[in-house]
Amino acid sequence: MSFLPYAVSVWLFLVGLYGIVSSRNLIHLIICLAVVQSSTYVLLLAIGYRTGAGAPVFAAVPLTTPAVDPVVQALTLTDVVVESTVVALLLAIAVQAHKRFGTLDPEELRSIRG
Amino acid sequence: MSRRIRLILFLVSGAGFAALLVWGELGLPPFGRYQGPYGTILDSVAVLQRHATDVVASVTFDYRGFDTLQEEYILFAAVAAVTLLLRAERDESWQPPSDEAAGRIVARPSDAIWLIGLSSVAPVVLLGIYVVTHGHLTPGGGFQGGVILATAPMLIYLVGEYRTMRAVSPTSLVEVAEAVGAAGFVVVGLAAMIAGAAFLTNFLPLGRIGSLASAGTLPLIEVSVGLEVAAGFMLILSEFFEQTLELRHRRARE
């Protein structure tokens, strides 16, 4: 099953997107966005994987040990940090939306409808 | 647009998008057969070039240190934005911390939660400091360790000591720590320029591979990032706590 990790990332992206579209609660919607973004972690790590190789950490193993790609792991770290900041910002906006409209249902945020 | 139409629209466009996504990912090299040049080169040269046994850390804070600097400032900007969004507004007033529902008395946490929570604060702080300072040797680093450090005040809150939590992480001190952490990364980069190299060059002596004081500027950057991340997350959390515990709408009290 060499396609399985890629399939998992596709599934995470779509299931998160479905959650965003069908959401009735802003907190739920924000967590769905986090699910969408987690698909990129799976994809990045899957691209850098090499069968049988270890982590790119040579603290206790000889330098010639096969290791996976460290670049995608560093990118995933960036990805995680960015996601946490995005979630924090959106939750702050959700708090303010609840204060203004008294609801967390995106359907009822009438005055910001496009 | 009604819910029904929106869902039908999503199912149609989502199916098209899924097909494109699968088609695109089928074009990637098969799982487990990584062929990219950079990972292979870095795995063989990074440890000898930078004397850091964790290659992910040397990629993050050295090879692509400039990108990570900007990433750290994304966090800095987000903290500022959360503080701005959750400021006290004209129709809101401060009150002593209490539960949202009027007249409700919050139950004291059980002895088990109190004991386990408070007794794990010190080990959590120690673990955080360990993860921050050993980022260039083993998995971990400033971002991961900083988040662990930020959970220590959370534990104090969990055992029901909100005032103690505010006392051990006073906003003014945490704000200074965040600023110092954010500035530290830039200062290390500028120090390299003063030493006659390019911005963020690893100009310090590299030391013996595997020792704590090795890898040149990496541990310094790890510590400043750890400080920035820990303080940044503490600020975000305290902003959310203030919203539920201290800020009140004037209208709501009438």
Side-chain angles (χ1 to χ4, degrees), chain B residues 44-70:
Chain B
S44 56
V45 305
V47 176
L48 297 173
Q49 275 187 353
R50 298 292 193 261
H51 291 203
T53 49
D54 182 3
V55 180
V56 180
S58 57
V59 169
T60 309
F61 295 109
D62 191 334
Y63 291 109
R64 57 184 292 275
F66 192 63
D67 296 348
T68 309
L69 177 66
Q70 290 161 27

mmCIF file of all heavy atoms in Angstrom, chain B residues 44-70:
data_model
loop_
_atom_site.group_PDB
_atom_site.id
_atom_site.type_symbol
_atom_site.label_atom_id
_atom_site.label_comp_id
_atom_site.label_asym_id
_atom_site.label_seq_id
_atom_site.Cartn_x
_atom_site.Cartn_y
_atom_site.Cartn_z
ATOM 1 N N SER B 44 23.889 13.590 5.274
ATOM 2 C CA SER B 44 25.275 13.147 5.274
ATOM 3 C C SER B 44 26.247 14.259 5.685
ATOM 4 O O SER B 44 27.323 13.959 6.177
ATOM 5 C CB SER B 44 25.652 12.581 3.902
ATOM 6 O OG SER B 44 25.407 13.556 2.916
ATOM 7 N N VAL B 45 25.885 15.535 5.495
ATOM 8 C CA VAL B 45 26.860 16.590 5.806
ATOM 9 C C VAL B 45 26.510 17.456 7.012
ATOM 10 O O VAL B 45 27.394 18.077 7.605
ATOM 11 C CB VAL B 45 27.110 17.531 4.597
ATOM 12 C CG1 VAL B 45 27.538 16.743 3.377
ATOM 13 C CG2 VAL B 45 25.888 18.364 4.301
ATOM 14 N N ALA B 46 25.217 17.494 7.408
ATOM 15 C CA ALA B 46 24.806 18.503 8.388
ATOM 16 C C ALA B 46 25.503 18.328 9.729
ATOM 17 O O ALA B 46 25.940 19.308 10.341
ATOM 18 C CB ALA B 46 23.294 18.463 8.579
ATOM 19 N N VAL B 47 25.618 17.094 10.206
ATOM 20 C CA VAL B 47 26.197 16.883 11.538
ATOM 21 C C VAL B 47 27.657 17.362 11.546
ATOM 22 O O VAL B 47 28.094 18.031 12.484
ATOM 23 C CB VAL B 47 26.101 15.401 11.941
ATOM 24 C CG1 VAL B 47 26.792 15.173 13.268
ATOM 25 C CG2 VAL B 47 24.648 14.984 12.039
ATOM 26 N N LEU B 48 28.398 17.056 10.491
ATOM 27 C CA LEU B 48 29.804 17.462 10.448
ATOM 28 C C LEU B 48 29.942 18.965 10.218
ATOM 29 O O LEU B 48 30.872 19.593 10.714
ATOM 30 C CB LEU B 48 30.534 16.678 9.352
ATOM 31 C CG LEU B 48 30.570 15.169 9.613
ATOM 32 C CD1 LEU B 48 31.137 14.424 8.426
ATOM 33 C CD2 LEU B 48 31.372 14.863 10.871
ATOM 34 N N GLN B 49 29.002 19.559 9.472
ATOM 35 C CA GLN B 49 29.095 21.002 9.203
ATOM 36 C C GLN B 49 28.712 21.847 10.403
ATOM 37 O O GLN B 49 29.289 22.905 10.649
ATOM 38 C CB GLN B 49 28.169 21.370 8.036
ATOM 39 C CG GLN B 49 28.797 21.181 6.677
ATOM 40 C CD GLN B 49 27.905 21.721 5.570
ATOM 41 O OE1 GLN B 49 26.774 22.126 5.811
ATOM 42 N NE2 GLN B 49 28.433 21.712 4.367
ATOM 43 N N ARG B 50 27.688 21.423 11.165
ATOM 44 C CA ARG B 50 27.140 22.266 12.225
ATOM 45 C C ARG B 50 27.336 21.689 13.628
ATOM 46 O O ARG B 50 26.999 22.324 14.604
ATOM 47 C CB ARG B 50 25.637 22.496 11.986
ATOM 48 C CG ARG B 50 25.339 23.215 10.683
ATOM 49 C CD ARG B 50 25.820 24.656 10.733
ATOM 50 N NE ARG B 50 25.288 25.432 9.624
ATOM 51 C CZ ARG B 50 25.987 25.695 8.506
ATOM 52 N NH1 ARG B 50 27.214 25.242 8.346
ATOM 53 N NH2 ARG B 50 25.434 26.429 7.553
ATOM 54 N N HIS B 51 27.838 20.454 13.729
ATOM 55 C CA HIS B 51 28.073 19.794 15.023
ATOM 56 C C HIS B 51 26.794 19.675 15.852
ATOM 57 O O HIS B 51 26.851 19.680 17.076
ATOM 58 C CB HIS B 51 29.166 20.512 15.828
ATOM 59 C CG HIS B 51 30.524 20.349 15.223
ATOM 60 N ND1 HIS B 51 31.688 20.468 15.937
ATOM 61 C CD2 HIS B 51 30.909 20.038 13.960
ATOM 62 C CE1 HIS B 51 32.732 20.269 15.136
ATOM 63 N NE2 HIS B 51 32.265 20.017 13.933
ATOM 64 N N ALA B 52 25.622 19.613 15.193
ATOM 65 C CA ALA B 52 24.358 19.404 15.894
ATOM 66 C C ALA B 52 23.833 18.036 15.484
ATOM 67 O O ALA B 52 23.697 17.768 14.288
ATOM 68 C CB ALA B 52 23.343 20.483 15.523
ATOM 69 N N THR B 53 23.564 17.155 16.477
ATOM 70 C CA THR B 53 23.154 15.795 16.102
ATOM 71 C C THR B 53 21.703 15.743 15.641
ATOM 72 O O THR B 53 21.311 14.782 15.003
ATOM 73 C CB THR B 53 23.357 14.823 17.279
ATOM 74 O OG1 THR B 53 22.784 15.405 18.452
ATOM 75 C CG2 THR B 53 24.825 14.550 17.521
ATOM 76 N N ASP B 54 20.882 16.744 15.974
ATOM 77 C CA ASP B 54 19.516 16.785 15.465
ATOM 78 C C ASP B 54 19.512 17.615 14.185
ATOM 79 O O ASP B 54 19.592 18.847 14.220
ATOM 80 C CB ASP B 54 18.578 17.402 16.520
ATOM 81 C CG ASP B 54 17.137 17.421 16.049
ATOM 82 O OD1 ASP B 54 16.863 16.905 14.954
ATOM 83 O OD2 ASP B 54 16.287 17.941 16.791
ATOM 84 N N VAL B 55 19.412 16.919 13.046
ATOM 85 C CA VAL B 55 19.500 17.637 11.765
ATOM 86 C C VAL B 55 18.280 18.540 11.570
ATOM 87 O O VAL B 55 18.382 19.609 10.982
ATOM 88 C CB VAL B 55 19.655 16.637 10.599
ATOM 89 C CG1 VAL B 55 19.742 17.374 9.272
ATOM 90 C CG2 VAL B 55 20.895 15.798 10.796
ATOM 91 N N VAL B 56 17.122 18.110 12.102
ATOM 92 C CA VAL B 56 15.929 18.961 11.961
ATOM 93 C C VAL B 56 16.191 20.330 12.598
ATOM 94 O O VAL B 56 15.835 21.372 12.041
ATOM 95 C CB VAL B 56 14.698 18.289 12.610
ATOM 96 C CG1 VAL B 56 13.479 19.174 12.467
ATOM 97 C CG2 VAL B 56 14.439 16.934 11.986
ATOM 98 N N ALA B 57 16.860 20.330 13.765
ATOM 99 C CA ALA B 57 17.145 21.612 14.436
ATOM 100 C C ALA B 57 18.117 22.443 13.615
ATOM 101 O O ALA B 57 17.938 23.661 13.491
ATOM 102 C CB ALA B 57 17.702 21.355 15.832
ATOM 103 N N SER B 58 19.143 21.815 13.030
ATOM 104 C CA SER B 58 20.092 22.644 12.271
ATOM 105 C C SER B 58 19.450 23.151 10.982
ATOM 106 O O SER B 58 19.784 24.238 10.518
ATOM 107 C CB SER B 58 21.398 21.885 11.999
ATOM 108 O OG SER B 58 21.166 20.703 11.314
ATOM 109 N N VAL B 59 18.499 22.381 10.411
ATOM 110 C CA VAL B 59 17.772 22.902 9.247
ATOM 111 C C VAL B 59 16.906 24.086 9.677
ATOM 112 O O VAL B 59 16.919 25.154 9.054
ATOM 113 C CB VAL B 59 16.887 21.801 8.600
ATOM 114 C CG1 VAL B 59 15.949 22.410 7.566
ATOM 115 C CG2 VAL B 59 17.754 20.745 7.954
ATOM 116 N N THR B 60 16.171 23.907 10.797
ATOM 117 C CA THR B 60 15.222 24.935 11.220
ATOM 118 C C THR B 60 15.919 26.229 11.618
ATOM 119 O O THR B 60 15.504 27.310 11.206
ATOM 120 C CB THR B 60 14.392 24.423 12.408
ATOM 121 O OG1 THR B 60 13.852 23.150 12.077
ATOM 122 C CG2 THR B 60 13.259 25.369 12.729
ATOM 123 N N PHE B 61 16.976 26.129 12.418
ATOM 124 C CA PHE B 61 17.547 27.346 13.003
ATOM 125 C C PHE B 61 18.830 27.804 12.329
ATOM 126 O O PHE B 61 19.400 28.809 12.718
ATOM 127 C CB PHE B 61 17.797 27.130 14.496
ATOM 128 C CG PHE B 61 16.521 26.917 15.259
ATOM 129 C CD1 PHE B 61 16.212 25.679 15.768
ATOM 130 C CD2 PHE B 61 15.625 27.960 15.435
ATOM 131 C CE1 PHE B 61 15.026 25.477 16.452
ATOM 132 C CE2 PHE B 61 14.442 27.764 16.113
ATOM 133 C CZ PHE B 61 14.143 26.519 16.624
ATOM 134 N N ASP B 62 19.321 27.038 11.344
ATOM 135 C CA ASP B 62 20.559 27.458 10.705
ATOM 136 C C ASP B 62 20.398 27.505 9.186
ATOM 137 O O ASP B 62 20.370 28.586 8.602
ATOM 138 C CB ASP B 62 21.682 26.498 11.103
ATOM 139 C CG ASP B 62 23.047 27.020 10.703
ATOM 140 O OD1 ASP B 62 23.109 27.813 9.744
ATOM 141 O OD2 ASP B 62 24.041 26.636 11.320
ATOM 142 N N TYR B 63 20.226 26.353 8.543
ATOM 143 C CA TYR B 63 20.164 26.340 7.078
ATOM 144 C C TYR B 63 19.008 27.211 6.570
ATOM 145 O O TYR B 63 19.162 27.938 5.588
ATOM 146 C CB TYR B 63 20.023 24.910 6.554
ATOM 147 C CG TYR B 63 21.263 24.068 6.774
ATOM 148 C CD1 TYR B 63 21.275 23.041 7.699
ATOM 149 C CD2 TYR B 63 22.435 24.320 6.056
ATOM 150 C CE1 TYR B 63 22.406 22.270 7.906
ATOM 151 C CE2 TYR B 63 23.576 23.566 6.256
ATOM 152 C CZ TYR B 63 23.557 22.540 7.186
ATOM 153 O OH TYR B 63 24.675 21.801 7.396
ATOM 154 N N ARG B 64 17.843 27.085 7.227
ATOM 155 C CA ARG B 64 16.740 27.985 6.833
ATOM 156 C C ARG B 64 16.343 28.858 8.031
ATOM 157 O O ARG B 64 15.172 29.109 8.287
ATOM 158 C CB ARG B 64 15.551 27.224 6.254
ATOM 159 C CG ARG B 64 14.942 26.166 7.124
ATOM 160 C CD ARG B 64 13.843 25.435 6.387
ATOM 161 N NE ARG B 64 12.683 26.253 6.134
ATOM 162 C CZ ARG B 64 11.692 26.444 7.006
ATOM 163 N NH1 ARG B 64 11.744 25.901 8.189
ATOM 164 N NH2 ARG B 64 10.657 27.179 6.697
ATOM 165 N N GLY B 65 17.365 29.350 8.750
ATOM 166 C CA GLY B 65 17.116 30.165 9.937
ATOM 167 C C GLY B 65 16.355 31.439 9.627
ATOM 168 O O GLY B 65 15.546 31.891 10.433
ATOM 169 N N PHE B 66 16.579 32.011 8.441
ATOM 170 C CA PHE B 66 15.908 33.266 8.102
ATOM 171 C C PHE B 66 14.399 33.054 7.999
ATOM 172 O O PHE B 66 13.615 33.888 8.455
ATOM 173 C CB PHE B 66 16.481 33.811 6.789
ATOM 174 C CG PHE B 66 16.074 35.218 6.505
ATOM 175 C CD1 PHE B 66 16.452 36.249 7.344
ATOM 176 C CD2 PHE B 66 15.297 35.509 5.403
ATOM 177 C CE1 PHE B 66 16.058 37.558 7.086
ATOM 178 C CE2 PHE B 66 14.911 36.815 5.140
ATOM 179 C CZ PHE B 66 15.285 37.838 5.981
ATOM 180 N N ASP B 67 14.004 31.899 7.412
ATOM 181 C CA ASP B 67 12.563 31.592 7.333
ATOM 182 C C ASP B 67 11.979 31.414 8.724
ATOM 183 O O ASP B 67 10.864 31.867 9.004
ATOM 184 C CB ASP B 67 12.345 30.309 6.529
ATOM 185 C CG ASP B 67 12.774 30.464 5.090
ATOM 186 O OD1 ASP B 67 13.012 31.609 4.687
ATOM 187 O OD2 ASP B 67 12.872 29.457 4.387
ATOM 188 N N THR B 68 12.740 30.714 9.591
ATOM 189 C CA THR B 68 12.226 30.463 10.935
ATOM 190 C C THR B 68 12.092 31.762 11.712
ATOM 191 O O THR B 68 11.185 31.922 12.520
ATOM 192 C CB THR B 68 13.150 29.482 11.662
ATOM 193 O OG1 THR B 68 13.348 28.350 10.828
ATOM 194 C CG2 THR B 68 12.560 29.033 12.981
ATOM 195 N N LEU B 69 12.989 32.717 11.445
ATOM 196 C CA LEU B 69 12.878 34.034 12.083
ATOM 197 C C LEU B 69 11.536 34.676 11.735
ATOM 198 O O LEU B 69 10.822 35.190 12.605
ATOM 199 C CB LEU B 69 14.035 34.918 11.618
ATOM 200 C CG LEU B 69 14.053 36.354 12.120
ATOM 201 C CD1 LEU B 69 14.269 36.388 13.616
ATOM 202 C CD2 LEU B 69 15.128 37.163 11.437
ATOM 203 N N GLN B 70 11.176 34.606 10.441
ATOM 204 C CA GLN B 70 9.895 35.177 10.037
ATOM 205 C C GLN B 70 8.736 34.408 10.646
ATOM 206 O O GLN B 70 7.724 34.997 11.035
ATOM 207 C CB GLN B 70 9.782 35.164 8.511
ATOM 208 C CG GLN B 70 10.726 36.156 7.882
ATOM 209 C CD GLN B 70 10.966 35.867 6.432
ATOM 210 O OE1 GLN B 70 10.137 35.284 5.764
ATOM 211 N NE2 GLN B 70 12.112 36.269 5.932
#
